[in-house]
Amino acid sequence: ATSDSDLYPNYQTVANLLGEMNVPPDFGADKDLRYTHRRNGEVDIYFVSNPEQTDVEAGCTFRVRGKAPEIWDPLTGEIRPATVFCQRDLHTTMPLKFEPAGSLFVVFRRPADRIRSEGQNFPRFETIGEIAGPWNVAFEPRLGGPESIRFDKLIDWTRHDEPGIRHYSGKAVYDIAFQLGEQTKNQRTFLNLGRVKDLAEVRLNGRRLGVLWCSPWRVEITAALQPGQNSLQVTVVNQWVNRLIGDASLPAEKRIARTTWNPYKPDSPLLESGLLGPLRLERMQ
């Protein structure tokens, strides 16, 4: 049998040998990042990821020169040229910004017309308002939740007094109306949901704007937003763990979930659930 040590030589040994051969590192960063690199013809494609559950800003160096870097967002598909980078010797150095557990593609495919650039590689967002509540929240009664209930503020379902909400697993729909003044022309506006456990679909004034499943919990609402009153609907879905924990304390005929095996106990820790917020309206700068 082949062991891992046979398949993967010691990293430091290989790095030292390459250094002695004057082969520079393919990628480097001043923060703990992960990466992979492939080439497609003359195109260099780097995938860089943040293993931490916090925001990270890092200076990154790529073993590429003479090509202009582009930043590709794997969540939205947006492609934009990097406006801040420096090229020297065989390397391109640039600042990158990552969401918690976030990732980016950095692609080099076009000739660079300069070796240094200035500006900002990532847009900034300015908070222009907050959507605080109260909310009308509709659960599914067949799954044990109330058909309709008022939330004066956003809370984790597991902290609610009602067992049907505390142990709820499934879909819940949050509804609220909010007022907005006249929009500034040509400014892109976004809704930031703060935090969600675990998935959210956003509709504004009846228009479906997409599903969010990870940080940043932000979606553009420019096209759906209107002056005056707006109707917002956020549909949230959590995991089914809390329902299994609740069912563990019920007789078989009163259980809601159906499973061949329930690994949870009545005192197992519940998982955060619901729309946790805070919800903010943001303008891109």
Side-chain angles (χ1 to χ4, degrees):
T2 303
S3 68
D4 287 347
S5 61
D6 296 325
L7 290 173
Y8 305 106
N10 179 269
Y11 170 83
Q12 197 57 53
T13 300
V14 175
N16 291 340
L17 286 172
L18 291 174
E20 292 172 3
M21 297 167 63
N22 296 317
V23 177
D26 185 35
F27 173 83
D30 56 13
K31 299 290 174 60
D32 183 22
L33 300 175
R34 302 290 183 265
Y35 92 102
T36 185
H37 174 203
R38 63 183 290 263
R39 297 198 76 191
N40 183 9
E42 294 302 311
V43 179
D44 285 277
I45 304 167
Y46 287 81
F47 179 75
V48 187
S49 66
N50 170 23
E52 304 298 328
Q53 294 297 326
T54 57
D55 294 327
V56 167
E57 295 188 24
C60 300
T61 300
F62 303 86
R63 194 175 60 199
V64 179
R65 189 177 186 274
K67 298 177 186 177
E70 298 173 344
I71 299 172
W72 293 25
D73 189 325
L75 294 178
T76 66
E78 180 183 9
I79 298 174
R80 62 181 182 275
T83 57
V84 181
F85 65 88
C86 177
Q87 297 190 334
R88 188 171 63 179
D89 299 330
L90 298 176
H91 295 98
T92 299
T93 300
M94 58 191 294
L96 292 177
K97 186 177 179 180
F98 297 88
E99 299 288 338
S103 58
L104 297 167
F105 287 98
V106 180
V107 179
F108 299 83
R109 56 176 178 161
R110 295 189 175 95
D113 58 2
R114 64 191 70 183
I115 62 172
R116 181 182 294 272
S117 187
E118 297 180 353
Q120 61 182 44
N121 283 341
F122 296 87
R124 294 189 178 94
F125 294 91
E126 174 194 9
T127 299
I128 61 171
E130 187 169 324
I131 303 173
W135 298 78
N136 181 69
V137 187
F139 293 86
E140 295 187 46
R142 67 182 183 86
L143 298 180
E147 185 173 0
S148 180
I149 191 170
R150 172 180 164 134
F151 278 15
D152 290 323
K153 62 180 181 180
L154 296 175
I155 64 168
D156 173 7
W157 296 346
T158 67
R159 297 183 178 275
H160 202 280
D161 293 335
E162 185 169 327
I165 296 177
R166 191 164 60 252
H167 292 111
Y168 185 83
S169 292
K171 178 176 71 176
V173 182
Y174 293 71
D175 277 295
I176 196 171
F178 65 92
Q179 295 287 327
L180 183 75
E182 192 69 32
Q183 280 184 269
T184 304
K185 208 170 185 180
N186 300 324
Q187 278 194 303
R188 296 173 65 183
T189 306
F190 292 76
L191 174 66
N192 188 325
L193 299 182
R195 282 202 310 133
V196 177
K197 292 294 183 176
D198 290 280
L199 300 174
E201 180 190 59
V202 177
R203 291 178 184 265
L204 182 63
N205 299 319
R207 182 166 178 167
R208 184 178 182 272
L209 299 179
V211 174
L212 303 177
W213 59 276
C214 66
S215 179
W217 301 95
R218 180 186 289 121
V219 62
E220 184 168 3
I221 60 173
T222 309
L225 200 60
Q226 60 191 28
Q229 181 162 293
N230 289 263
S231 175
L232 174 64
Q233 185 180 82
V234 182
T235 301
V236 175
V237 179
N238 70 333
Q239 300 182 49
W240 77 328
V241 172
N242 294 345
R243 183 66 268 159
L244 294 179
I245 294 171
D247 281 1
S249 62
L250 297 175
E253 66 274 11
K254 293 188 176 181
R255 294 173 186 167
I256 295 173
R258 296 290 182 267
T259 179
T260 56
W261 179 59
N262 184 353
Y264 299 99
K265 307 299 180 185
D267 59 352
S268 296
L270 298 172
L271 299 185
E272 271 191 312
S273 297
L275 179 59
L276 305 177
L279 270 72
R280 299 184 300 272
L281 296 172
E282 300 176 337
R283 293 266 171 83
M284 179 184 285
Q285 295 182 317

